[in-house]
Amino acid sequence: MAENEEHELIRAIDWKQGLAIALGVPLLVLPSIGYFAGYLWAFAIMVWALSVIQGFFQNFAYGELAVMFPKASGLPGFAQNVFAGKGGKFDRGKLIGGFSAWGYWFAWNPVMAIMAILIGTYLHQMLPEIGISQYVLSIIAGILMYGALLIINSRGLSSGALVGMILAILSLAPLVIISVAPFATGDFQLANITDSWLPTDWTWDLHHILILLGVFAMAEWSACAWETAAVYGPEYNKPNSDLPKAVFVCGFVCLIVFVLVQTAVTGTLGVERLLEVPFSPLLPVSQAAFGQAGSYVAIFVLIFAMILITQTAFLGSSRAMHSMAKEGNLPPILGKTNSAGTPINAMILTALFNLVLIGLQNPAAVLAASAIGYSVANGISLFSYVKAKTDPHLSQLERPFKAPRGWKYVALAFGILNIPLFLIGVIYLNSLELGWTSTYIGIGVLAAYIPIWYYTQNKASKHAEEASMTTGV
């Protein structure tokens, strides 16, 4: 397929198609149901509710940035446009914007590995007698998923939207049915929630406050991620209207699903039983409501759900990488698109990187590392909104959609919540749960951007000098 040397994405979707792609976000509740309950018991329900509401506060700012920069790819593009700098070989403003986009890429990218690991876990539980290790099943799942999605999405974003809609019908609707069923069958017991609201040893000391900040940071990674609908800003037919619709409709779906699923699982199983099956709690819930056959149906539903999440992550992270290359913050080869407007090189690299991440074999470790990147991306993006409201030049840009008056102070508060509070919390939580491995991975991947960025700037400078000498300018 021919390449688009101009590196341009193509406007080809409406808000419903953008929503279809982003509907993988509500399913991000799956990796963390048991993990959050392990620290907070039933209070995890409240964490999800508050985190989605946090997403609404942040997305009012992002919605305004989106109409200010209609050619920007969501959070990665906003920060790069606002912190564009004044030019020069090593412009610090440009570095900050690119670093934010890199953090966003790393936040979404590992979702693909997490889903492959979980699929391998479910298949191994379902078919333990086949004699294939969980790791090998995860690798096979990753290769098949990434390969199929790469082929489908290489035909353009509208093709990916169609697949997203089909997967949403096959996964999101059954997930809601499985979650609602215990209320109808009587398996849901409110006492499982009210009697286990917080751990019996919970106190509001520094240790537990840091744990709470860490859990909220990881919840943000899931419950606020519906801003990914804004990543397709350059690909909406009518970005000023399509983008806000897609973002906020997805937010309302997330508010329902995150709270419903955690409530149903906790109320049906109870905290003690939930902690026995932290990675696959929906299986016993489905079995309680529908019998043994229900658990097998649940496995297939969950696999469809995880393919949809992978699709959302694949498209979001590759667009982030394309955005960085287009802005001169990554090598140009990663910004090339094929004739359908797909950043194919970025997608291939994303798939290969995730096959390596599957080797960690711990979805919580991968999530914890990528949550560091998401806190960085949100923090810098919110600060970029404050700058956009106060900078004399940027404040004059047209804004068909505006956040409420004084929202720059709200954005500043949530920016500080992300940097440094969420960062401190998630690093502390990682040290308790997983040692320092995931923190080293997270910080290492983020730090790797610095030499890559300097290399990119050097290459661009040399190319410009050679072009100048050739033209005689």
Side-chain angles (χ1 to χ4, degrees):
M1 189 172 288
E3 287 184 339
N4 176 359
E5 294 297 338
E6 295 299 320
H7 303 181
E8 291 297 330
L9 301 173
I10 297 174
R11 295 198 181 278
I13 61 171
D14 58 22
W15 74 269
K16 294 184 288 294
Q17 291 172 300
L19 173 64
I21 298 169
L23 279 178
V25 174
L27 300 166
L28 286 173
V29 66
L30 298 176
S32 303
I33 297 172
Y35 184 81
F36 287 4
Y39 279 105
L40 299 174
W41 290 12
F43 188 74
I45 299 168
M46 185 61 67
V47 168
W48 287 125
L50 293 174
S51 293
V52 178
I53 292 171
Q54 174 192 344
F56 278 98
F57 279 100
Q58 294 181 172
N59 277 308
F60 270 107
Y62 298 151
E64 186 171 336
L65 286 171
V67 297
M68 288 174 63
F69 305 106
K71 293 186 178 181
S73 294
L75 265 65
F78 302 156
Q80 290 181 100
N81 276 272
V82 173
F83 292 106
K86 299 179 180 179
K89 186 175 180 180
F90 298 119
D91 187 277
R92 286 181 294 177
K94 187 175 181 180
L95 174 61
I96 292 171
F99 185 70
S100 176
W102 180 261
Y104 187 84
W105 167 80
F106 182 55
W108 268 111
N109 189 293
V111 175
M112 298 167 59
I114 292 171
M115 295 305 117
I117 293 170
L118 289 178
I119 289 176
T121 301
Y122 286 147
L123 290 176
H124 193 261
Q125 291 177 356
M126 182 178 165
L127 305 167
E129 68 279 356
I130 64 174
I132 301 178
S133 71
Q134 181 177 309
Y135 170 70
V136 173
L137 287 172
S138 297
I139 287 290
I140 293 173
I143 292 173
L144 292 177
M145 275 198 305
Y146 307 160
L149 292 175
L150 184 62
I151 292 170
I152 292 168
N153 288 288
S154 67
R155 301 174 62 184
L157 192 59
S158 58
S159 178
L162 176 60
V163 172
M165 181 59 71
I166 294 171
L167 290 172
I169 294 171
L170 294 174
S171 58
L172 193 56
L175 177 63
V176 172
I177 293 172
I178 291 172
S179 300
V180 170
F183 294 89
T185 60
D187 293 295
F188 176 86
Q189 300 295 322
L190 185 60
N192 285 335
I193 295 174
T194 56
D195 294 346
S196 305
W197 188 239
L198 277 168
T200 53
D201 62 347
W202 185 272
T203 57
W204 294 97
D205 57 9
L206 181 61
H207 166 69
H208 286 93
I209 289 174
L210 288 173
I211 287 177
L212 191 61
L213 285 171
V215 170
F216 268 107
M218 296 179 72
E220 179 187 46
W221 177 89
S222 304
C224 297
W226 40 281
E227 46 67 27
T228 189
V231 168
Y232 314 109
E235 297 168 271
Y236 285 113
N237 293 320
K238 301 176 181 178
N240 287 347
S241 58
D242 286 336
L243 192 151
K245 285 181 184 177
V247 170
F248 287 106
V249 171
C250 190
F252 283 112
V253 174
C254 286
L255 183 60
I256 294 170
V257 172
F258 279 100
V259 175
L260 172 63
V261 171
Q262 188 77 43
T263 301
V265 169
T266 307
T268 303
L269 301 181
V271 171
E272 184 175 345
R273 171 68 175 132
L274 170 56
L275 297 183
E276 293 175 1
V277 285
F279 295 144
S280 54
L282 282 172
L283 299 186
V285 171
S286 183
Q287 185 174 3
F290 301 109
Q292 184 60 40
S295 63
Y296 291 103
V297 172
I299 287 177
F300 287 106
V301 168
L302 292 172
I303 289 175
F304 283 128
M306 287 181 279
I307 295 173
L308 176 56
I309 299 171
T310 302
Q311 156 100 337
T312 302
F314 206 176
L315 294 175
S317 58
S318 61
R319 262 62 182 182
M321 187 169 281
H322 169 271
S323 175
M324 285 185 278
K326 184 178 177 182
E327 296 295 333
N329 289 312
L330 280 182
I333 190 172
L334 295 174
K336 289 185 177 181
T337 58
N338 63 17
S339 59
T342 300
I344 196 71
N345 293 342
M347 293 186 77
I348 292 172
L349 182 60
T350 296
L352 294 175
F353 181 73
N354 275 275
L355 288 176
V356 175
L357 282 181
I358 291 172
L360 290 176
Q361 277 298 288
N362 186 340
V366 180
L367 191 159
S370 62
I372 295 174
Y374 198 58
S375 295
V376 168
N378 272 287
I380 297 177
S381 295
L382 290 165
F383 294 145
S384 75
Y385 175 77
V386 176
K387 185 176 188 297
K389 296 291 282 188
T390 55
D391 183 279
H393 172 66
L394 295 174
S395 62
Q396 300 302 313
L397 293 178
E398 183 182 0
R399 291 170 162 86
F401 172 86
K402 289 186 179 181
R405 186 180 179 87
W407 211 253
K408 66 180 179 181
Y409 301 108
V410 176
L412 179 61
F414 279 100
I416 293 171
L417 182 63
N418 277 275
I419 303 174
L421 298 180
F422 276 179
L423 272 179
I424 294 172
V426 75
I427 290 173
Y428 183 76
L429 187 63
N430 290 354
S431 69
L432 295 177
E433 177 74 18
L434 304 162
W436 289 94
T437 301
S438 61
T439 298
Y440 291 149
I441 292 172
I443 294 176
V445 171
L446 291 176
Y449 177 69
I450 307 300
I452 293 173
W453 186 81
Y454 275 101
Y455 168 80
T456 303
Q457 305 313 301
N458 267 320
K459 293 289 288 185
S461 178
K462 289 179 181 179
H463 180 74
E465 290 175 3
E466 291 172 358
S468 177
M469 291 175 63
T470 301
T471 58
V473 177

